[in-house]
Amino acid sequence: MTVKELFQQPPLLLAPMAGYSDAVFRRLCREEGCDLAFTEMISAKGLLHANEKTRLLCRPGPQEGPLGVQLFGSDPVSMGVAARVVTEELGDDLFCLDINCGCPARKIAGNGDGSALLLDLPLAEKVISAVVRHTTLPVSVKFRSGWDEGHIVSADFARMAEAAGASFLTLHPRTRMQQYSGVADWNEIEAVKHAVSIPVVGNGDVVDGPSACRMLEETGCDGLMIGRGALGRPWVFSEIRAALNGTDFAPPEGQELKKRILRHGALELAAKGDHGMVELRKHLPLYFTGRRGASGLKKALSQVKTMEELGRLLLDRDGCDQYNSMN
C-alpha cells in the first residue's frame, strides 16, 4: 500500500497513544476497519541505547498489517539514525514513520521534544528532514496548533513540514497548554488543508459516526485519526465507516460485548503473560464509560487480577443498569 492508495478514500487511523496503542489494541481496531494503526510514541534515544523495552514497542503483533511507528525526539542526528534502524529492522512490517511534534506531557515537552518543537520551527525542520533522509518510507508528522493561543503556528508548521519532505500530516487542533481540555478547533484543520498540497488527517473530538462526518465536511481533510474515541470502543471504526457509507451500525451489547472484553483479555495474556492483566486493567473500565450506574463495576474492573475474576465480574447482575442486558 502506498500513500496514494491509503488516501483513495478517507482512511481511518488509530492514533499513537502512550500506554494504550499496544499490538493487541491495534489488532482489535484493525479488525474493526482501522486502515492504519500507529505504535505508542517511541524514544529515538531509547532505540539507539538498545533499550529492549523501547524496541518491543516497535514490534508488530501477530496478524497485524503494516503499521506506523511514531518516533519522538528533538536531536536531528539521533532521530535520523533511529529512522534508519527502524526501517532496516522492520522492513515490510512498516508502512511509515511518524514524527511526534504534539505530545503535551511535561516530561516530553519539558525536555524539548513533542509539542516543544512548535516553539522552534527551524529545529523541527531539521528533525523532519533528517528522518526523511534516513528512511525509504513515507514520513508523516503529527502536531498541534501551537504552544498556546498566542502562538498558533498550524499553517506555517504544515508548510515547513511539507517542504522538509513529509508525505502527509496529522493535526490535533488543540494547543499544548490546552492539553486535552476544551474543544478542538477544527478551523485549524481547514487552514492547514488549504496551506499544503499533501494529505491532511484530522484528529480531535472524533468519537462516533456523526462527528466523523462533520469533521470531513467542515474541514475538507483527507482522513481521520481516532484516539481517545477508540478507547473502550474499538468498534468505533466500524461505526464511522458505516456512517460514511450511509449504512446502519449497532454497537455490541449484551453477550456480544462480554465476549469481546474476554477476548481482549485473552489476547493480552497470550501476548504478555501475567503482565497482560496489568495492561488490560487500563482498558477494562473504558468499556463502560458513560453507562449509568457503572462506577462500582468500573472500579472493580480496574483492580481485576485474573481472567477468572474478570469472568465473574462480567456475570455480576448488579454491575450497572445498562450492563444488566448482557446477562
Side-chain angles (χ1 to χ4, degrees), residues 38-57:
F38 288 83
T39 65
E40 303 174 52
M41 63 179 183
I42 294 167
S43 165
K45 291 183 178 179
L47 276 173
L48 300 184
H49 286 99
N51 184 311
E52 185 59 24
K53 183 178 180 181
T54 300
R55 286 180 178 270
L56 283 173
L57 294 176

Side-chain angles (χ1 to χ4, degrees), residues 235-264:
W235 54 84
V236 71
F237 294 95
S238 294
E239 178 185 352
I240 291 172
R241 187 60 70 192
L244 296 180
N245 293 335
T247 57
D248 294 332
F249 175 80
E253 293 288 350
Q255 290 297 323
E256 179 60 26
L257 178 57
K258 173 183 172 182
K259 185 192 305 183
R260 293 192 184 208
I261 294 171
L262 290 173
R263 180 168 180 259
H264 189 166

Side-chain angles (χ1 to χ4, degrees), residues 55-72:
R55 286 180 178 270
L56 283 173
L57 294 176
C58 293
R59 203 163 295 164
Q63 302 180 36
E64 183 171 14
L67 74 159
V69 168
Q70 188 186 71
L71 299 173
F72 78 89

Side-chain angles (χ1 to χ4, degrees), residues 277-312:
M277 290 306 298
V278 177
E279 296 294 322
L280 184 64
R281 285 199 294 263
K282 294 182 290 189
H283 290 271
L284 290 175
L286 298 170
Y287 280 101
F288 297 92
T289 297
R291 292 176 181 263
R292 187 178 57 195
S295 58
L297 176 61
K298 290 169 65 177
K299 181 178 180 180
L301 288 170
S302 69
Q303 299 170 355
V304 69
K305 294 181 174 61
T306 66
M307 285 295 291
E308 291 74 17
E309 184 182 354
L310 174 59
R312 289 195 299 270

